[in-house]
Amino acid sequence: MLVVLAQPRRIALLAYLALTMRRGPQQRDALLALFWPERDEDSARNALNQALHFLRRHLGTDTFVARNGGEIGVAPERIWCDGSAFEDALDTGRPGEALELWQGELLDGFHIGDAPGFQRWLDSERSRLAGRLMQAMETLANQREAAGDFTGAVAWWRRLAARDSLSSRRALRLMQALAAAGDPAAALQHARVHEVLVRDELNAGVAPDVTALIRKLQAIQSDATAPATGAATRKEPNTMSHAAATHANMSTGVAISEPHHDPGYEADPAADPRATDARGRRSRWGPRMMVIAAGVIVLLVLGRARGSSASGAEEYLRTLYLRGQQAEVSRSLVGLQTARAAYERALERDSTYALAYAGLSAVHYLMADYGYSPVGPALDSARRMARRAVALDSTHPETRTARAVTLASSLDFDAAEREFQRAIELGPDNARAHFWYSVMLVALGRGREALDAATRAGELDPFPPRGLTAMKRYAEWLVSGKRPYLDSAVTARRPILELEPGEPWARSREAVELAEVGRCDEARAQIHQAQRLTPDNNMRMLRPVIEVHWRCGDQGRARQLLAEMKHLPNVEDHGYRVALVHILFDEPDSAFAWIARNRWTIGALSGLSADQNADAVRSDPRFVALLEEIGIRQPAR
């Protein structure tokens, strides 16, 4: 099966036939138009026959069925497809079972070139299935509410609000469910999140019915938290049942029940007020305060004690966040998709979890930097996620770091530096803040400061952020003009490969260095493996592929690949990568022309500043002018 997975167009054909098997076999001519539109009819038919032959050989000859000579399909008894099973469950009234099958967007991140018809179909199917998913969630939310299970309803409304964050109707329903479940404070918190998102995305205010509910909840909270002035002011406990209290308030759009007893409020009054919560934030409050009013001691609970242990929900969120960070390490497409899924799952549980937004900002940035997504839209998404993270929690170093990275990639270096410095002030022991600050300092040519920041990141984390080794090497070169790591054996220069064999970028760099020393058989094997770990025609991967061909004597193939590279979609996003090839070919004029077209990330800028592949252009008088156009004034070395 792994052989099949290594062939994207064959995967696409298999997925298409599996997802359409509920409608029966598909016309061969339609398949030709979807998958080989650029070929003439004979060539396209031959390609289809070869693909089917390959799939039959690896999946079984009875996997596919032909009908009337002009149609082809999969045998339902031989192929099980979660997408088809998902729709079957919905069509037969089993939404809960359907949702258990949902593992993420349809073929998330999958793409094949030169097949726009298939891509349009895939986009349409993604949208259609996501719509059915949300209908199923809403059905289950309504069922839970009808059964009086508002806690269960909250879980579904949260997932809906996370997927459709700009919907005022769904925001309102979540707030109502939270209030009915006895948590009006969480309802108000979600209202604040919704307000930030609507302002960010639509430059608008929230809907009037949301505003009305906010006012009602604020009035209720104000009444509930008004300090007592004496024993006579205490109210008798409300003996109304939860269900009765809920229904009594539904006509006003607010459903309130008595708050449950929270053992977190019984913390030791001597607990350390400087303790952090499960999200790593400093507690703003001590555990509780005692005041004396009219001779009566009244306990005012100002905030839950956060010293000893987090709630199960917070631990779950923290686990998902750490899982996302771990998945990011490989920098492979699968790793980043896994990280995104972890962060999105956290937001389904708690749409106010700022760290998940910071994580999503990092994922979108990395999708741009590593050529998995068009740079412009991906960086726009990264900026939006970072703004949301800071709006929800401006006191966490991770949210400030996310914002700083996006500002640096927008070439607003002064604002980015302020954010980095604030992140480090808030979290002096946060390795990621120091690491990303070192990336920007390298880009700005501030080698000594960059080396200090990168060194500090390494001291703080025994498993330092991905890319730290490269930043330290860049910074050392900026300081000394030397690259001592080149004196070590080629295969010992990238320790990340021992921890992450599936990391394609270090493997591709190792392949280039093997080619440089004439070990071309090893270089070809390494670059081939690196290519298999990235999507077809990944712009960042194409450059080392071309270099291996060039250095191993196949210069004709290297030039052919460069010509193909220039005709790929979004090539302007990666002008720097094209420029590096022209530098390799000793064509500086073309290199400068392509650098001028690049859409920068802070990672690419650090390479322009200090990567050895760009050494040849740094001595050119045009280089300083180029940096000034970008907004960089490097200090004299």
Side-chain angles (χ1 to χ4, degrees):
M1 189 60 184
L2 291 176
V3 178
V4 176
L5 295 177
Q7 303 292 331
R9 201 172 299 261
R10 292 166 184 168
I11 296 174
L13 175 62
L14 176 61
Y16 179 82
L17 292 173
L19 287 160
T20 57
M21 67 180 170
R22 300 169 79 238
R23 302 198 298 270
Q26 302 298 302
Q27 291 287 336
R28 285 179 178 266
D29 287 346
L31 298 176
L32 302 183
L34 275 177
F35 294 102
W36 295 277
E38 77 287 356
R39 299 195 183 192
D40 60 55
E41 183 175 354
D42 289 342
S43 175
R45 287 188 180 278
N46 182 55
L48 174 60
N49 290 335
Q50 286 183 350
L52 291 171
H53 174 73
F54 177 89
L55 292 170
R56 283 191 176 103
R57 180 155 54 91
H58 289 280
L59 301 178
T61 56
D62 56 347
T63 300
F64 298 90
V65 294
R67 190 171 68 184
N68 301 326
E71 295 178 334
I72 189 74
V74 295
E77 66 276 9
R78 289 282 297 147
I79 289 284
W80 182 87
C81 173
D82 58 355
S84 295
F86 170 78
E87 294 208 81
D88 286 340
L90 291 179
D91 291 344
T92 53
R94 295 173 286 131
E97 185 177 326
L99 290 174
E100 288 180 3
L101 292 165
W102 186 272
Q103 297 297 314
E105 302 298 328
L106 176 63
L107 295 176
D108 193 15
F110 184 80
H111 176 78
I112 56 173
D114 302 323
F118 170 76
Q119 202 61 45
R120 285 192 296 271
W121 171 84
L122 181 56
D123 291 342
S124 174
E125 282 296 284
R126 283 174 179 157
S127 178
R128 186 180 68 81
L129 291 174
R132 297 206 69 182
L133 170 76
M134 294 177 75
Q135 289 173 359
M137 288 180 180
E138 192 155 332
T139 296
L140 289 171
N142 288 327
Q143 288 176 355
R144 291 294 86 215
E145 286 184 347
D149 177 12
F150 292 99
T151 300
V154 163
W156 292 114
W157 286 119
R158 279 198 188 281
R159 293 180 68 177
L160 281 160
R163 295 186 64 88
D164 189 11
S165 58
L166 300 179
S167 168
S168 292
R169 182 180 69 83
R170 288 185 168 124
L172 182 67
R173 293 296 299 273
L174 173 56
M175 291 168 62
Q176 289 172 337
L178 284 164
D183 200 350
L188 286 170
Q189 189 177 31
H190 181 74
R192 287 191 288 271
V193 173
H194 179 64
E195 185 177 18
V196 169
L197 300 185
V198 170
R199 184 178 67 242
D200 248 12
E201 303 285 344
L202 304 179
N203 195 27
V206 298
D209 49 0
V210 174
T211 301
L213 181 53
I214 290 171
R215 288 173 180 160
K216 291 173 183 175
L217 290 171
Q218 287 173 333
I220 292 167
Q221 276 210 312
S222 177
D223 291 342
T225 58
T229 59
T233 64
R234 293 181 60 198
K235 296 182 180 180
E236 291 300 314
N238 186 355
T239 57
M240 185 182 297
S241 71
H242 173 90
T246 294
H247 289 296
N249 288 281
M250 284 301 286
S251 62
T252 65
V254 186
I256 304 296
S257 66
E258 287 297 297
H260 64 279
H261 176 70
D262 189 338
Y265 291 123
E266 301 301 324
D268 178 3
D272 181 2
R274 298 169 300 169
T276 59
D277 65 9
R279 305 185 189 201
R281 299 176 301 192
R282 294 288 184 187
S283 172
R284 291 185 176 86
W285 314 109
R288 58 187 181 180
M289 290 180 60
M290 290 197 301
V291 299
I292 298 177
V296 178
I297 295 179
V298 182
L299 292 179
L300 298 182
V301 181
L302 299 183
R304 171 176 312 193
R306 303 181 187 273
S308 58
S309 63
S311 71
E314 287 182 323
E315 283 298 333
Y316 177 71
L317 294 173
R318 184 69 177 173
T319 298
L320 286 173
Y321 176 69
L322 294 175
R323 187 179 300 168
Q325 286 198 315
Q326 184 180 28
E328 286 178 22
V329 170
S330 75
R331 298 301 197 250
S332 66
L333 179 58
V334 171
L336 294 180
Q337 288 171 338
T338 301
R340 183 170 67 184
Y343 300 139
E344 288 175 345
R345 190 173 302 171
L347 289 174
E348 287 178 357
R349 175 65 67 92
D350 182 354
S351 60
T352 68
Y353 190 39
L355 287 184
Y357 283 114
L360 284 175
S361 178
V363 166
H364 285 298
Y365 166 83
L366 293 170
M367 292 288 283
D369 197 37
Y370 284 85
Y372 299 128
S373 296
V375 171
L379 289 183
D380 286 344
S381 296
R383 281 188 284 270
R384 286 196 299 272
M385 295 298 104
R387 285 198 300 269
R388 293 175 190 177
V390 173
L392 288 166
D393 188 349
S394 62
T395 67
H396 201 293
E398 296 284 357
T399 65
R400 292 287 191 169
T401 298
R403 181 78 173 123
V405 170
T406 61
L407 286 167
S409 294
S410 300
L411 310 184
D412 191 349
F413 302 118
D414 291 341
E417 182 148 29
R418 287 193 295 272
E419 287 290 327
F420 277 127
Q421 290 173 346
R422 180 60 174 150
I424 292 169
E425 178 186 348
L426 291 166
D429 55 352
N430 187 281
R432 285 169 68 94
H434 288 280
F435 164 68
W436 282 107
Y437 189 30
S438 78
V439 177
M440 189 183 79
L441 291 169
V442 166
L444 298 177
R446 291 158 58 181
R448 173 50 60 189
E449 295 169 86
L451 186 56
D452 290 344
T455 300
R456 182 61 178 148
E459 292 170 348
L460 290 169
D461 192 342
F463 300 100
R466 176 70 181 91
L468 181 62
T469 299
M471 285 310 116
K472 289 181 74 172
R473 290 171 178 175
Y474 284 171
E476 287 168 352
W477 178 80
L478 287 170
V479 172
S480 67
K482 298 178 181 179
R483 295 189 173 94
Y485 77 94
L486 293 177
D487 295 332
S488 60
V490 171
T491 53
R493 294 175 187 173
R494 291 179 173 78
I496 185 65
L497 291 175
E498 296 180 9
L499 298 173
E500 289 288 337
E503 203 281 15
W505 311 107
R507 191 169 297 282
S508 70
R509 193 67 176 257
E510 186 171 286
V512 167
E513 292 179 353
L514 287 166
E516 287 176 343
V517 297
R519 296 163 62 176
C520 285
D521 288 344
E522 295 171 80
R524 293 187 188 100
Q526 286 281 53
I527 201 66
H528 178 66
Q529 187 172 357
Q531 280 185 282
R532 292 181 62 184
L533 295 168
T534 57
D536 284 350
N537 295 326
N538 178 275
M539 291 290 287
R540 184 162 176 157
M541 183 57 68
L542 274 173
R543 191 207 62 77
V545 170
I546 291 171
E547 185 163 356
V548 168
H549 281 293
W550 181 267
R551 294 189 182 279
C552 289
D554 194 352
Q555 297 186 351
R557 178 59 176 156
R559 287 198 174 276
Q560 179 186 353
L561 285 172
L562 174 60
E564 294 173 6
M565 188 180 188
K566 291 179 179 180
H567 288 89
L568 289 174
N570 305 307
V571 66
E572 290 83 3
D573 288 354
H574 301 279
Y576 173 58
R577 313 290 173 196
V578 179
L580 290 176
V581 178
H582 280 296
I583 293 170
L584 176 68
F585 294 173
D586 194 22
E587 297 167 350
D589 292 345
S590 297
F592 276 104
W594 278 95
I595 290 175
R597 299 172 65 179
N598 192 67
R599 299 189 71 166
W600 294 102
T601 64
I602 191 60
L605 280 172
S606 70
L608 180 66
S609 175
D611 193 284
Q612 68 189 89
N613 291 295
D615 281 354
V617 297
R618 293 196 194 97
S619 59
D620 192 299
R622 291 172 287 183
F623 185 70
V624 174
L626 170 68
L627 292 182
E628 289 180 351
E629 287 180 17
I630 295 171
I632 296 175
R633 292 182 179 274
Q634 287 196 329
R637 291 181 53 220

